[in-house]
Amino acid sequence: MQGDFSDIVCKYRYNIIINREVDIVFDTHVHTKFSTDSDMKIEDALKTAKNDNLSLVITEHMDINYPEKGEFLFDVKDYFDAYSRFKSDDLLLGVEIGMKEDCVEQSRKVVYNSPFDYVIGSVHLVDDMDLYYGNFYKDKTKQDAYKKYLQVILKNIKEFDFIDSLGHIDYICRYAKYKNSELKYSDFSDILDEIFKNILYTGKCIELNTRRLNSKPAVSNLFSIYKRYSELGGKYITLGSDAHDHDSIGNNFDTALNIAEKCNLKIVHFLDRKMEY
Ligand SMILES: [Zn+2]
Ligand SMILES: [Zn+2]
C-alpha cells in the first residue's frame, strides 16, 4: 500500500479548502492553557482556525491519578467559566480523558457532571509510566511494549464506556525509541481487531490523529490500520491534530482527508455528546 501513498503528503495540500465548500471540518483535538503542557491562548487558536477554514473542539488534558500529583488536571468549572463565551458553531468544548484503570469512576463522574460536547479517551500511561519517557520501554522488546500498550487500550475502552472517541491509537510511536517505531497492523492484527470490534460494538468512534501524518511510513501504516477498521464495519472517524500551539492546528489534515476517503470513512465530530455528520 505504501506506493499508493508516496505522493499524498504533499500532493493534496489544498484539499481542506476545497472540501470546506461542502463540509465543515473540525479539528477535534486541541489543547490550550488549561492543559499542563500547553500555554496556547484560545484567541490564538481561534485566529488560526479561522485562517485555515477549520472549526475547533478544545480538549484539555484530564489525567486523573497522573503520577506527578496535580499535573494534567484542570478545574472544570474554571474552564467553562472562561471559555463558554467563545462557544459557537465553530468552537466546541471537550476534554481528553487519560484512561487508566485506577480512575474509571472518578473520570466517569467528571464527564457526567460537566457539559462537555466531546470526550476523547486516550492512553498516555501504562503501569503508571508515561509513554513519553523512556522507563516504560526499558528491558522490553518492541513486540512486548506495543502488545502491552494495546492490551491496556483494549481493557480501558471496555471500562471507560462513557468516552466518545478513542484518541491517537499510534501514540506510542511518537516516543518509542526502537529502530522502527511504527505500529504495523500485521504485527498486532488480533488485538487491533479486538479494539476495533469493541469500538464498533459499543457505538464509539476512533480518532485519526494527524500529528504524525507528515511521515510517509506513518501514513502507510495508519492507512492499513484504518482500512482494517473500515473492513470490520467502521464508518466514522474524528480528526485531531493534538495541537498544543496554534501553528499545529489542522496539521496534515489534507493527508488525513485522503486516508479517510480511501478507507471509505466519514469524518464526524461531536456536539453535546452526539455524533454530527
Ligand atoms: Zn493524548
Ligand atoms: Zn491531546
Side-chain angles (χ1 to χ4, degrees):
M1 283 301 164
Q2 189 147 2
D4 292 343
F5 278 86
S6 56
D7 295 330
I8 275 184
V9 173
C10 51
K11 193 171 165 188
Y12 294 97
R13 184 71 194 90
Y14 299 106
N15 252 28
I16 293 176
I17 294 160
I18 293 164
N19 279 15
R20 178 65 178 181
E21 287 170 10
V22 285
D23 289 324
I24 300 166
V25 179
F26 272 81
D27 185 338
T28 66
H29 192 155
V30 174
H31 298 273
T32 73
K33 63 178 185 181
F34 280 92
S35 291
T36 296
D37 54 357
S38 170
D39 53 15
M40 181 164 29
K41 292 191 182 113
I42 194 169
E43 292 87 348
D44 293 337
L46 282 166
K47 209 184 288 172
T48 302
K50 199 171 177 210
N51 281 342
D52 291 353
N53 275 329
L54 285 169
S55 301
L56 294 182
V57 189
I58 306 294
T59 50
E60 308 290 11
H61 283 297
M62 179 69 82
D63 285 77
I64 294 171
N65 294 341
Y66 188 82
E68 306 294 322
K69 214 170 170 353
E71 297 223 320
F72 296 101
L73 295 174
F74 66 95
D75 186 301
V76 176
K77 186 181 178 300
D78 288 352
Y79 172 64
F80 281 101
D81 283 351
Y83 285 178
S84 290
R85 70 189 174 96
F86 293 101
K87 227 187 128 166
S88 72
D89 289 346
D90 291 317
L91 190 281
L92 305 177
L93 298 177
V95 62
E96 180 181 18
I97 293 279
M99 299 193 294
K100 197 162 165 278
E101 62 185 3
D102 63 1
C103 63
V104 180
E105 292 315 315
Q106 275 173 282
S107 302
R108 185 193 305 276
K109 212 177 274 180
V110 169
V111 167
Y112 282 174
N113 290 330
S114 319
F116 293 117
D117 286 301
Y118 175 53
V119 180
I120 303 175
S122 295
V123 168
H124 300 123
L125 295 142
V126 175
D127 291 339
D128 247 0
M129 288 177 274
D130 193 326
L131 298 171
Y132 179 83
Y133 299 110
N135 305 9
F136 172 69
Y137 312 98
K138 203 169 167 270
D139 302 327
K140 286 191 186 77
T141 62
K142 179 187 171 187
Q143 183 72 18
D144 291 344
Y146 280 45
K147 195 171 168 199
K148 175 79 189 169
Y149 163 70
L150 292 170
Q151 281 168 340
V152 169
I153 290 182
L154 178 60
K155 186 169 188 303
N156 280 327
I157 52 169
K158 291 177 183 168
E159 302 276 337
F160 287 72
D161 54 2
F162 47 88
I163 66 160
D164 297 318
S165 194
L166 172 66
H168 48 50
I169 198 162
D170 61 329
Y171 183 73
I172 196 167
C173 308
R174 294 184 194 172
Y175 308 115
K177 296 281 187 291
Y178 301 103
K179 200 170 163 202
N180 174 355
S181 63
E182 286 304 325
L183 177 60
K184 195 171 176 200
Y185 172 73
S186 55
D187 288 345
F188 302 96
S189 55
D190 289 352
I191 189 151
L192 283 167
D193 281 3
E194 275 301 298
I195 290 170
F196 295 149
K197 283 177 193 166
N198 191 274
I199 285 170
L200 295 169
Y201 181 70
T202 55
K204 291 189 191 70
C205 193
I206 184 167
E207 170 186 271
L208 174 55
N209 194 283
T210 66
R211 167 86 68 100
R212 300 174 58 252
L213 296 181
N214 56 348
S215 143
K216 284 178 187 176
V219 169
S220 168
N221 282 291
L222 285 168
F223 173 73
S224 303
I225 287 171
Y226 286 83
K227 183 101 179 68
R228 180 62 179 157
Y229 167 68
S230 172
E231 281 166 9
L232 288 172
K235 291 188 172 62
Y236 310 111
I237 52 169
T238 49
L239 295 189
S241 68
D242 213 348
H244 288 66
D245 57 77
H246 71 93
D247 283 340
S248 304
I249 288 172
N251 266 4
N252 309 314
F253 265 40
D254 37 13
T255 305
L257 289 165
N258 282 286
I259 293 176
E261 194 183 321
K262 283 193 158 50
C263 294
N264 203 21
L265 294 168
K266 194 164 175 52
I267 292 159
V268 298
H269 66 277
F270 285 74
L271 169 66
D272 198 17
R273 305 295 313 281
K274 286 178 200 71
M275 194 187 279
E276 299 271 313
Y277 304 91

